[in-house]
Amino acid sequence: MLQIQTIRENPTEVIERLSIKNFDAKEIIHNILSLDTQIRQLKKQLDENLMEQGKIAKSIGLLYKEGKRAEADELKLKTAELKNSEKDIQAELSDKDGKINELMVLMPNMPHSSVPRGKSAADNEVVYEEGDASNFNYDALPHWDLVKKYDIIDFELGCKITGAGFPIYKGKGAKMQRALINFFLNSASENGYTEIQPPYMVNENSAYATGQLPDKEGQMYHANLDNFYLIPTAEVPVTNIYRDVILKSTDFPIQNCAYSACFRREAGSYGKDVRGLNRLHQFDKVEIVQIEHPDRSYETLENMKLYAMSLLQRLGLPFHVLRLCGGDMSFTSALTYDLEVYSKAQQKWLEVSSVSNFESFQANRLKLRFKDENGKMRLAHTLNGSALALPRVMAALLENNQTPDGIIVPEVLRPYTGFDIIN
RNA sequence: GGAGAGAUGGCCGAGUGGUCGAAGGCGCACGCCUGGAAAGUGUGUAAACGCCGAAAGCGUUUCAAGGGUUCGAAUCCCUUUCUCUCCGCCA
């Protein structure tokens, strides 16, 4: 959520910057500002009313002590009046508060100045490329055929047990998966991240604080009986560790990483995009989360991007890095880099990581603050990224490393797998 | 799941209807003391929001959360959440 002060102080700048995200904020800001003025007036009235009541209550106490019952009773009548008008003000205030809040949560985060204008994924800017992204000159098998050939991932069996999008990993497939998780977690630790094992279900407050609610309610699995949500990413529980927290400026940077299974309903997805491992309802991911001083958050974003890139380099996968355009960015992000690997058999780019700086947008809802050098309370900046999401990495490894003899396991994974070929 | 006890500031802990944002202690910050430190000693020690150009100042709110009783609630009542103890169940 944006801060009301920002909107109050620079409404035209906010409108201008949100237009890069193709969001027309003119009317909504006009309404917010008008509600804001009314709210502040009401607040003032309420404060005065309450002050009056408090004063009267005190003098009643004194009068009783002195035994002046009649005078006290007279004052009581006065409070009754005040209470009535308090009720009115209160009602109006909560009505307006509700309205302004409804509008505030509709406003996306403002994009960073480097974010290009654009409507869709086609307008994203390629900022880096590495590796051989050419296609095989023979008929390479897509991963959904390879996994059958070597019996390492079973989609049909997953359908039987749960449903589409819940594959079952078997034998070397399961071991590969575990090897990737361990490789990613160990690398993160070596790079200064503290490993966290979070809960896979969160309560309503947590889902709200990181912005999944009220926005993406239908995208999360919901355990009705207890009103818990299955996490769509470890970002949710890990970032919520810092909900309602006040940090010291010496606490920065906070670097956490977490492996978790992620659960997404992916309502509305269909077709080729969901084939095989490309889009699942349950998948594994290692997430990195940082909390930074506002002055250093963009430097940190670059480092996180470089770190995610280093994983792909070590796995030997061809990839490129995109700076997302305004139209393709998430609601909460100020700047996002996507990392995509090239899958030679499918002949397409697959997103395996998304690294974002949310600036203070999440921190505002989280109430994640710190005391700065001058002792002033300020919102911290939050950042996160996938390092990495497993299924598409797996898909690309299977497809790109296939040979007539089997699938070659990358060097860096062999200590974790205990084998060097899947055949 | 059953029975009971509890939730107070950064932490410990007092407070069972009025002047309580809350005693006392610890911690922390600054000062004095000291050659330097420790000890000692003095002062201070929350957040949100509003009034205000800013600061100062003032006001309101906050004793788990929400509701209620009352002129007045940390204190009484109800609901919820969480913690602890005992029993049951269980990896």
Side-chain angles (χ1 to χ4, degrees):
Chain A
M1 198 154 61
L2 292 173
Q3 293 181 81
I4 183 79
Q5 297 95 298
T6 314
I7 297 170
R8 221 183 264 156
E9 284 159 23
N10 322 295
T12 47
E13 196 200 324
V14 176
I15 291 170
E16 176 61 29
R17 288 181 61 188
L18 287 182
S19 76
I20 292 171
K21 279 199 174 177
N22 305 317
F23 184 89
D24 184 2
K26 219 170 173 175
E27 195 182 324
I28 190 168
I29 283 187
H30 174 80
N31 291 335
I32 285 172
L33 289 177
S34 130
L35 281 166
D36 182 49
T37 319
Q38 294 172 54
I39 285 168
R40 281 192 284 170
Q41 258 164 14
L42 287 167
K43 189 99 204 330
K44 202 177 155 190
Q45 283 175 38
L46 182 67
D47 283 359
E48 280 164 3
N49 180 304
L50 289 172
M51 179 175 67
E52 198 59 32
Q53 286 193 47
K55 275 186 185 161
I56 292 175
K58 265 179 198 165
S59 41
I60 288 177
L62 289 173
L63 289 171
Y64 269 130
K65 256 179 203 160
E66 294 165 23
K68 298 176 180 167
R69 270 207 96 89
E71 279 181 55
D73 288 343
E74 207 172 301
L75 281 177
K76 279 193 197 177
L77 293 174
K78 215 168 164 186
T79 358
E81 269 173 52
L82 285 168
K83 280 202 143 181
N84 270 333
S85 61
E86 184 203 330
K87 240 183 211 164
D88 292 345
I89 300 169
Q90 208 83 265
E92 206 178 335
L93 196 56
S94 73
D95 174 57
K96 302 241 147 100
D97 261 335
K99 277 186 183 150
I100 202 169
N101 204 38
E102 270 170 40
L103 296 178
M104 289 296 290
V105 297
L106 291 178
M107 305 257 293
N109 197 4
M110 294 193 288
H112 185 254
S113 56
S114 69
V115 170
R117 277 187 191 274
K119 286 201 177 90
S120 69
D123 300 313
N124 294 336
E125 190 185 318
V126 178
V127 293
Y128 184 84
E129 280 179 290
E130 181 173 325
D132 171 22
S134 62
N135 298 319
F136 289 121
N137 52 9
Y138 59 90
D139 277 343
L141 292 175
H143 70 268
W144 46 85
D145 290 336
L146 289 166
V147 298
K148 257 190 198 154
K149 182 170 170 189
Y150 298 111
D151 194 23
I152 50 174
I153 301 177
D154 196 325
F155 292 101
E156 285 79 22
L157 195 54
C159 283
K160 171 185 165 186
I161 308 298
T162 307
F166 293 90
I168 286 184
Y169 300 77
K170 299 198 280 195
K172 284 185 171 176
K175 283 195 166 37
M176 264 291 267
Q177 188 83 348
R178 187 152 57 85
L180 281 166
I181 294 166
N182 284 334
F183 169 59
F184 292 153
L185 280 175
N186 285 355
S187 304
S189 294
E190 283 156 22
N191 276 269
Y193 291 91
T194 303
E195 187 172 333
I196 305 271
Q197 269 199 33
Y200 289 2
M201 291 192 189
V202 295
N203 59 32
E204 225 179 336
N205 283 341
S206 296
Y208 178 79
T210 33
Q212 277 70 32
L213 292 178
D215 244 38
K216 299 174 196 142
E217 170 135 41
Q219 291 294 348
M220 283 186 294
Y221 289 99
H222 184 217
N224 283 320
L225 219 50
D226 299 287
N227 197 21
F228 292 152
Y229 292 89
L230 273 79
I231 57 171
T233 158
E235 169 202 341
V236 178
V238 173
T239 309
N240 266 284
I241 294 172
Y242 301 94
R243 170 150 50 89
D244 291 319
V245 165
I246 297 171
L247 298 166
K248 296 189 282 270
S249 53
T250 49
D251 291 336
F252 297 124
I254 289 175
Q255 304 180 273
N256 288 326
C257 67
Y259 155 76
S260 86
C262 303
F263 303 91
R264 300 186 181 179
R265 296 189 61 233
E266 301 290 1
S269 302
Y270 58 90
K272 240 200 320 213
D273 283 349
V274 305
R275 187 101 194 250
L277 293 167
N278 288 354
R279 177 158 282 142
L280 301 172
H281 288 306
Q282 178 186 320
F283 64 96
D284 293 309
K285 180 159 64 67
V286 172
E287 184 80 0
I288 51 177
V289 174
Q290 291 215 39
I291 296 166
E292 254 297 7
H293 190 287
D295 294 348
R296 286 188 298 271
S297 66
Y298 278 97
E299 204 181 306
T300 298
L301 179 69
E302 293 305 309
N303 289 334
M304 289 170 76
K305 178 188 77 181
L306 288 172
Y307 170 68
M309 284 164 58
S310 76
L311 295 173
L312 293 174
Q313 285 159 345
R314 290 169 71 193
L315 288 170
L317 290 169
F319 68 95
H320 67 193
V321 180
L322 305 172
R323 193 202 319 263
L324 296 195
C325 73
D328 201 30
M329 281 170 80
S330 78
F331 186 80
T332 43
S333 170
L335 178 57
T336 298
Y337 292 112
D338 271 8
L339 277 64
E340 297 184 328
V341 298
Y342 193 73
S343 179
K344 297 191 177 192
Q346 292 184 67
Q347 304 189 2
K348 65 185 211 178
W349 294 97
L350 302 173
E351 181 191 333
V352 293
S353 176
S354 188
V355 187
S356 303
N357 187 355
F358 304 103
E359 298 192 4
S360 60
F361 194 81
Q362 274 187 335
N364 193 27
R365 273 208 210 175
L366 287 165
K367 295 211 181 63
L368 165 53
R369 293 164 297 174
F370 71 102
K371 256 195 181 129
D372 74 4
E373 304 67 35
N374 308 316
K376 260 191 91 174
M377 281 295 195
R378 293 171 63 187
L379 292 171
H381 280 193
T382 60
L383 305 98
N384 70 43
S386 355
L388 300 162
L390 289 252
R392 294 175 192 156
V393 171
M394 177 77 91
L397 283 176
L398 297 176
E399 292 178 7
N400 293 5
N401 292 5
Q402 61 185 300
T403 68
D405 300 326
I407 294 159
I408 308 297
V409 175
E411 200 80 48
V412 287
L413 290 182
R414 291 181 193 172
Y416 297 98
T417 54
F419 53 84
D420 52 19
I421 191 162
I422 298 173
N423 50 16

